[in-house]
Amino acid sequence: MTTQTPKKLRAGKARGSLLAKTFIYVILSLTVITIIYPIWWIVVGALNPSNGLYAASIIPKGLTLEHFIYLFTQTDYAIWFKNTLYIAVWNTIISTVLVITAAYAMSRFRFKGRKYGLLTLMILQGFPSFMGMIAMFTLLQQLTWFGPHGLLNSLWGLIIIYAGGSIPFNVWMIKGYFDSLPKSLEEAAKIDGASNTKIFFKVMLPLAKPMIAFVAVTHFIGPWMDYIFPSIVLTTSNKFTLAMGLYSMVTGEQNTQFSTFAAGAVLVALPISILFLLFQKQMTEGLTAGANKG
């Protein structure tokens, strides 16, 4: 009796462990299928000889690159791509500079209005960005020194919206990271005669590289996927972003270019995928740092 009981317990634990592993693998398999299946359909649809996704099958019967060729020869896809890249690059530069400098100032310096400034940024995080769409539209329209319609139908109008909208959440996140860095580093640099500017560029920025990479990549990705704000600000086809241009291919009774849309979607994923591969290590470190120290 005393020898069988431990065996039964071990057997019960083994069955429980096996069931748990089986359950985990089933969940992981379903997750992978859920992610891979739509991506596979988009790739197959892009290479499908016909122009409709209904004629495509999960195992393609024939492959063609004609939809990719059509994109660059018969549509404004190259212009949309250039516009989106322009917005993404400038948004990355401006937003990252604004966020990093503001977060560092809020973290390391004490000045009048700092507390209320941080409180305001915290409150602004609670409002969804699209709540301010009418205000943004009116504001851009009133900037008449840039032209008769202000910054409406202008790529820079969109860049300003993205850069301004990125400040509240990201300043708090980066400020938390700067708060966690030891002040003894700055004190040691000051003893050696370093100015605040030199400390910022020579001491703090190198330590914050993972967070800077994370913020820069997220700001670069945003314009590639956003449709709402471009559809409010931009009105003519030569100013469209990729999201707007691709959407116009599959909306309306006459626009049924689903395979061309799929080809464009595949190309949109390329720069983002390359960016993730290049900055994978920094992105992981930035996410971990934000989770532990933010």
Side-chain angles (χ1 to χ4, degrees):
M1 183 69 183
T2 55
T3 56
Q4 289 179 351
T5 302
K7 287 183 179 178
K8 288 182 178 178
L9 288 174
R10 284 196 292 273
K13 287 183 179 178
R15 282 196 297 273
S17 176
L18 181 62
L19 285 174
K21 286 182 180 178
T22 305
F23 180 74
I24 291 170
Y25 279 111
V26 169
I27 295 296
L28 289 176
S29 301
L30 290 175
T31 304
V32 170
I33 292 171
T34 305
I35 295 172
I36 297 295
Y37 187 74
I39 296 174
W40 176 255
W41 264 106
I42 287 294
V43 175
V44 169
L47 300 173
N48 181 32
S50 71
N51 203 29
L53 290 181
Y54 294 109
S57 60
I58 192 167
I59 306 297
K61 296 176 182 177
L63 301 177
T64 179
L65 295 176
E66 65 181 34
H67 301 300
F68 293 94
I69 298 171
Y70 180 86
L71 270 178
F72 289 98
T73 56
Q74 303 297 323
T75 71
D76 291 332
Y77 188 84
I79 296 174
W80 303 335
F81 195 98
K82 186 186 72 174
N83 291 341
T84 309
L85 184 64
Y86 183 85
I87 294 170
V89 170
W90 277 110
N91 178 48
T92 301
I93 296 171
I94 296 173
S95 298
T96 304
V97 171
L98 288 176
V99 167
I100 296 295
T101 52
Y104 179 70
M106 292 291 186
S107 172
R108 286 304 202 244
F109 299 104
R110 300 295 180 267
F111 49 88
K112 191 176 181 180
R114 173 182 173 276
K115 180 180 177 183
Y116 294 107
L118 286 171
L119 186 62
T120 303
L121 292 176
M122 179 180 285
I123 294 172
L124 287 175
Q125 293 181 52
F127 295 97
S129 55
F130 58 80
M131 279 185 64
M133 284 192 297
I134 296 176
M136 293 175 193
F137 182 88
T138 306
L139 180 63
L140 293 177
Q141 193 177 32
Q142 290 177 344
L143 298 176
T144 50
W145 59 81
F146 290 103
H149 302 291
L151 282 177
L152 288 179
N153 200 30
S154 163
L155 300 183
W156 275 101
L158 205 55
I159 292 170
I160 290 172
I161 289 177
Y162 285 140
S166 69
I167 291 176
F169 173 76
N170 288 301
V171 164
W172 267 100
M173 183 175 67
I174 306 296
K175 175 188 171 297
Y177 184 82
F178 280 129
D179 286 344
S180 67
L181 298 178
K183 291 186 178 179
S184 58
L185 296 172
E186 295 171 86
E187 292 167 355
K190 283 183 179 177
I191 291 173
D192 291 337
S195 63
N196 287 328
T197 306
K198 193 170 184 178
I199 292 171
F200 176 67
F201 284 105
K202 297 291 185 181
V203 179
M204 304 307 288
L205 282 189
L207 293 174
K209 275 184 180 176
M211 289 302 292
I212 295 172
F214 174 76
V215 171
V217 171
T218 52
H219 285 148
F220 184 84
I221 293 172
W224 295 87
M225 301 180 176
D226 185 32
Y227 173 79
I228 296 177
F229 285 114
S231 64
I232 295 169
V233 177
L234 308 175
T235 54
T236 56
S237 177
N238 65 332
K239 295 292 178 67
F240 277 7
T241 61
L242 282 169
M244 292 182 68
L246 291 176
Y247 185 70
S248 67
M249 291 181 175
V250 292
T251 53
E253 295 180 358
Q254 303 298 323
N255 298 327
T256 55
Q257 301 169 303
F258 294 107
S259 295
T260 310
F261 171 87
V266 170
L267 293 179
V268 169
L270 285 179
I272 299 174
S273 302
I274 292 171
L275 208 61
F276 267 114
L277 290 174
L278 290 176
F279 294 98
Q280 187 178 19
K281 182 181 176 183
Q282 289 83 357
M283 289 284 289
T284 307
E285 291 177 356
L287 284 170
T288 308
N292 292 335
K293 302 173 182 179

